[in-house]
Structures are given as structure tokens and as C-alpha cells.
Amino acid sequence: MKKILSLLLISCCISSCSVQLMAPTVSVHPSIAKYKYAYIIPTNTITGGYISGDSNSTSGYTKSTNPANVIAGVLMEKGYTILPEIQERFKENTIVVTFGELPTATGFTVAKSEVIIQFRDANTSELIASAKAEGTSKNEWSFSHPTEADGIKEAILRALNAIFTHPY
């Protein structure tokens, strides 16, 4: 009986730590299909980490992600050619991708992040698609700690997935 009660208590504690992510908000213009090229505004690398210790020893780790690299990988997988600069001859079929990060909340077991990704027409600056999504970094092993980089990466992937699966 004690074991069952202990397991029940542990499972309640674990489930109360879970984080619900809001569904991504997305807007996509039907003309998105005409674009073949993408120019991604450069972003800075985001590094998050965890350090612990006592007077005798310290340990920790860091994780990094560059949002532009994550976005480029997804766009290349979708068939886009990533341009190092906007080229006049491809401008009509080029989207400019911008990335924004909203303030994050970090807890003991989860780091929560929110991002906004926009696709704009390189010729007219017209908004072609926009998505806002949240991401979390759940522990990958029992005593790891989440980092901001984990949450940002998940949020980017959720936002891009919302754009490419949106029925326009």
C-alpha cells in the first residue's frame, strides 16, 4: 500500500510540473507557393546552460542554437534555396524571413520560450506568412536542466510547422 501511495504521489508531482503549450497562431497568404528562394535575416546564437555545485566541486553544461540555422534547415528541407543576400534576379520569388523572440520563463524542470517568424515578399515587403509559437525544453534525462536554447528551437520548429501545414 505504501508503494502505491508513493507512486501516486510521485506521478501527481510529475504531472503538475508539465507545461501546456498554446497552439501556434498563424496567418498564411495563398501566394506562398510561388516562392522558391529565401533570405534569412541573420540572428545571434542563443546559449543557455546550467551550473551546479558546492564548495567541493561544480558541474554543468551549455547548449547553443542559432535561430537562422534552424530556420534555414527547415526551409531547405521544404525545397527553398537559401540566398546569402537578396539578389535582384530572384527577388520576385524570394521571401525575407525574420525572427523575433519574446521574453521567456524558466522553471526548475522547464524553460518556456515564445517566438514569432515572418515571411515577407522581397519585392514589396508584403507579409506572406506569420506564426507565433511557444516551445519548452523538457528534461532529456532525469537530472538535466532545461536551457533557453532548447525552448527556442522547439518554438521555431512549431512555428514553421504551423506555416507549412496551414490550409490557405
Side-chain angles (χ1 to χ4, degrees):
M1 184 66 175
K2 267 187 166 179
K3 286 183 181 182
I4 293 173
L5 190 55
S6 295
L7 288 173
L8 183 61
L9 182 63
I10 289 171
S11 68
C12 286
C13 289
I14 290 172
S15 66
S16 70
C17 294
S18 67
V19 173
Q20 284 291 95
L21 296 178
M22 295 183 62
T25 55
V26 64
S27 162
V28 180
H29 193 277
S31 68
I32 194 169
K34 82 171 196 171
Y35 298 95
K36 297 178 177 105
Y37 305 97
Y39 170 71
I40 303 168
I41 303 290
T43 60
N44 293 323
T45 297
I46 297 167
T47 302
Y50 174 77
I51 297 174
S52 70
D54 56 28
S55 60
N56 296 324
S57 67
T58 51
S59 65
Y61 62 91
T62 61
K63 293 181 183 177
S64 298
T65 192
N66 186 317
N69 292 344
V70 176
I71 294 167
V74 171
L75 292 180
M76 286 187 282
E77 183 179 61
K78 297 291 182 187
Y80 287 82
T81 300
I82 307 302
L83 301 174
E85 60 189 29
I86 297 174
Q87 298 176 13
E88 197 61 42
R89 65 186 174 145
F90 300 129
K91 207 170 184 180
E92 188 174 310
N93 298 97
T94 300
I95 54 172
V96 176
V97 182
T98 56
F99 163 85
E101 177 187 356
L102 297 166
T104 62
T106 303
F108 180 70
T109 59
V110 177
K112 190 172 179 182
S113 303
E114 190 170 15
V115 303
I116 298 173
I117 296 174
Q118 292 185 336
F119 292 1
R120 292 194 173 272
D121 183 286
N123 237 356
T124 66
S125 294
E126 176 187 4
L127 185 62
I128 303 304
S130 178
K132 179 169 84 168
E134 295 177 329
T136 63
S137 57
K138 298 173 188 136
N139 289 344
E140 295 171 8
W141 54 88
S142 61
F143 293 105
S144 72
H145 291 272
T147 71
E148 182 181 7
D150 297 320
I152 293 292
K153 185 175 181 179
E154 182 185 10
I156 291 168
L157 295 174
R158 290 184 75 230
L160 291 172
N161 184 56
I163 288 172
F164 289 112
T165 59
H166 189 271
Y168 45 86

